[in-house]
């Protein structure tokens, strides 16, 4: 544990201070377009190890390396395929992480012993300025405690990591709100290991044979499947409250939310609802708004907005101290697939089709 963590607005001066910390092998939390990252010099084995310690992250879960220019790729991977280059041209800087063959001199822990390394160029001016000023690629997982909800504000980072990182650069709320898509290009066929902010539909335009890995691993299978991608763990993105996810027609979902909220209240539980704007009026009519706090993430037709508010909505209900969160499922197309994935994992499999 270090001293209390400082939050500084991401001015040029603060970015210069953060870059000096990175060069000295220290940790810095910083905004990207997706979520806040907990960064360290990717080429410094000790600094990389300290990321795992600060997050309480198991050593079998590899990190993403963030770069500011494509020149930095040569330090990370000896083999960048034509497909990788096409995807880079199309999506970088942006929320697409590519899993490539790993440069042999990289710290082993970075890749958790895998022969590959995950790389992306974030589309956020603060992240890019920090990487450029540090003069080194920056390894950064999401800046939350392991398996907790990812942070989309500097305050979220502080709530999880106060005392575990000297400095948080505050760049305001992150504009995308869900993590990058993780695409494995190291095998014969491109495989989407984690759906994210770049949609499968967009990736498939350049990689038509992309395979979407849809398995949710049970924690019991970790050892067997850790080599695939530990981020596939079912228990992930979890708030403290128990999450239940409801899928179905709008009417059926609204009825299930209302009934579930009433039953839980009767049994003495505090319950919160995570809904779409469209659910608000029906739930008001059902009288549920008096018995449970409600957070509407956005309209069903504006999934970009829902993505932006998803993690802060989960955290806000936790802060209100609810025992159970009843959440509606959102359409699983475009960025909606990432939303659906995060909610399913937050629910740890408690998904009900109604
Ligand atoms: O948007 C994002 O990607 C954010 C921001 C900070 O860039 N970062 C992030 O990192 O979400 P993290 O550590 O929370 O998630 C990284 C994911 C994990 O699911 C991990 O298993 C996977 O990427 N991953 C990393 N390296 C890998 C590799 N070599 N092979 C397979 N999966 C890998
Ligand atoms: Mg994470």
């Amino acid at each position: 544990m270090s001293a209390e963590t400082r939050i500084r607005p991401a001015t040029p001066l603060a970015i210069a201070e953060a870059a000096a910390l990175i060069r000295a092998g220290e940790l810095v939390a910083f905004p990207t377009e997706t979520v806040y990252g907990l960064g360290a010099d990717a080429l410094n084995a000790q600094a990389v190890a300290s990321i795992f310690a600060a997050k309480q992250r198991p050593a079998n879960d590899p990190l993403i390396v963030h770069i500011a220019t494509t020149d930095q790729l040569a330090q990370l991977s000896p083999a960048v395929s034509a497909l990788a280059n096409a995807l880079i041209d199309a999506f970088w800087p942006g929320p697409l992480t590519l899993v490539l063959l790993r440069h042999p001199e990289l710290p082993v822990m970075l890749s958790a012993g895998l022969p590959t390394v995950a790389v992306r160029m974030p589309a956020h001016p603060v992240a890019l300025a920090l990487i450029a000023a540090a003069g080194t690629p920056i390894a950064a997982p999401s800046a939350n405690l392991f398996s907790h909800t990812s942070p989309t504000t500097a305050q979220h980072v502080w709530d999880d990591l106060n005392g575990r990182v000297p400095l948080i650069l505050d760049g305001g709320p992150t504009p995308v709100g869900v993590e990058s898509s993780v695409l494995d290009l190291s095998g014969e066929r491109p495989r989407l290991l984690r759906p994210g902010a770049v949609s499968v539909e967009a990736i498939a335009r350049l990689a038509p044979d992309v395979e979407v890995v849809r398995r949710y691993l049970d924690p019991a299978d970790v050892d067997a499947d850790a080599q695939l991608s530990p981020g596939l763990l079912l228990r992930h993105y979890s708030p403290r409250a128990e999450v239940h996810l409801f899928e179905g027609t709008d009417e059926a979902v609204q009825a299930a939310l209302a009934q579930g909220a009433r039953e839980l209240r009767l049994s003495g539980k505090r319950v919160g609802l995570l809904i779409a704007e469209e659910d608000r009026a029906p739930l008001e009519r059902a009288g549920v708004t008096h018995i449970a706090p409600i957070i509407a993430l956005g309209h069903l037709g504006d999934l970009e907005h829902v993505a932006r508010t998803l993690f802060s909505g989960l955290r806000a209900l936790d802060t209100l101290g609810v025992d159970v969160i009843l959440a509606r499922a959102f359409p699983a197309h475009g960025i909606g697939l990432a939303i659906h994935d995060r909610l399913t994992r937050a629910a740890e499999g408690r998904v009900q089709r109604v």
Side-chain angles (χ1 to χ4, degrees), residues 140-288:
S142 52
N144 50 279
L145 287 174
F146 179 66
S147 90
H148 195 214
T149 314
S150 295
T152 57
T153 66
Q155 184 63 45
H156 292 164
V157 179
W158 197 89
D159 291 343
D160 270 25
L161 299 179
N162 180 28
R164 295 173 172 273
V165 50
L167 178 65
I168 302 170
L169 285 178
D170 187 351
T174 56
V176 174
V178 294
E179 303 86 343
S180 63
S181 311
V182 178
L183 184 67
D184 183 357
L185 296 180
S186 69
E188 262 170 35
R189 201 177 147 188
R191 287 194 314 164
L192 188 70
L193 300 179
R194 177 177 74 181
V198 173
S199 70
V200 190
E201 295 89 332
I203 292 170
R205 263 172 243 137
L206 291 172
D209 60 339
V210 62
E211 176 195 349
V212 179
V213 176
R214 280 185 188 280
R215 280 190 303 159
Y216 294 105
L217 302 181
D218 202 83
D221 298 333
V222 180
D223 288 344
D225 284 297
Q227 299 302 304
L228 180 59
S229 188
L232 294 178
L233 269 184
L234 186 51
R235 203 180 83 73
H236 217 96
Y237 309 103
S238 305
R240 274 183 297 275
E242 188 177 292
V243 178
H244 293 257
L245 184 63
F246 294 89
E247 287 183 336
T249 62
D250 290 351
E251 294 72 21
V253 165
Q254 288 152 5
L257 291 172
Q259 194 193 336
R262 276 193 225 102
E263 285 172 6
L264 285 161
R265 278 300 301 231
L266 280 176
S267 70
K269 291 260 167 68
R270 287 164 300 177
V271 52
L273 300 180
L274 203 61
I275 60 169
E277 287 296 348
E278 286 85 345
D279 303 323
R280 205 190 276 278
L283 289 174
E284 257 163 34
R285 282 196 295 276
V288 178

Side-chain angles (χ1 to χ4, degrees), residues 5-175:
T5 297
R6 287 175 304 133
I7 301 184
R8 290 191 62 182
T11 60
L13 205 64
I15 292 171
E17 186 199 332
L21 284 168
I22 296 283
R23 279 197 301 275
E26 304 273 345
L27 299 175
V28 172
F30 63 97
T32 78
E33 79 280 36
T34 57
V35 301
Y36 276 73
L38 178 63
D41 181 351
L43 308 181
N44 176 336
Q46 246 180 341
V48 168
S50 69
I51 295 178
F52 287 86
K55 273 198 71 153
Q56 300 174 330
R57 182 182 178 109
N60 67 359
D61 196 354
L63 305 178
I64 295 173
V65 181
H66 298 69
I67 58 178
T69 63
T70 44
D71 295 349
Q72 289 177 303
L73 257 185
Q75 291 174 282
L76 303 174
S77 179
V80 181
S81 65
L83 174 60
N85 276 313
L87 290 161
I88 287 168
D89 283 345
F91 297 111
W92 283 7
L96 177 66
T97 294
L98 300 178
V99 174
L100 306 169
L101 209 63
R102 160 186 175 277
H103 194 292
E105 274 161 42
L106 290 177
V108 172
M109 209 174 178
L110 192 62
S111 304
L114 297 174
T116 52
V117 62
V119 189
R120 82 179 193 98
M121 186 188 292
H124 194 291
V126 173
L128 291 172
L130 175 65
I131 300 161
T136 182
I138 294 183
S142 52
N144 50 279
L145 287 174
F146 179 66
S147 90
H148 195 214
T149 314
S150 295
T152 57
T153 66
Q155 184 63 45
H156 292 164
V157 179
W158 197 89
D159 291 343
D160 270 25
L161 299 179
N162 180 28
R164 295 173 172 273
V165 50
L167 178 65
I168 302 170
L169 285 178
D170 187 351
T174 56

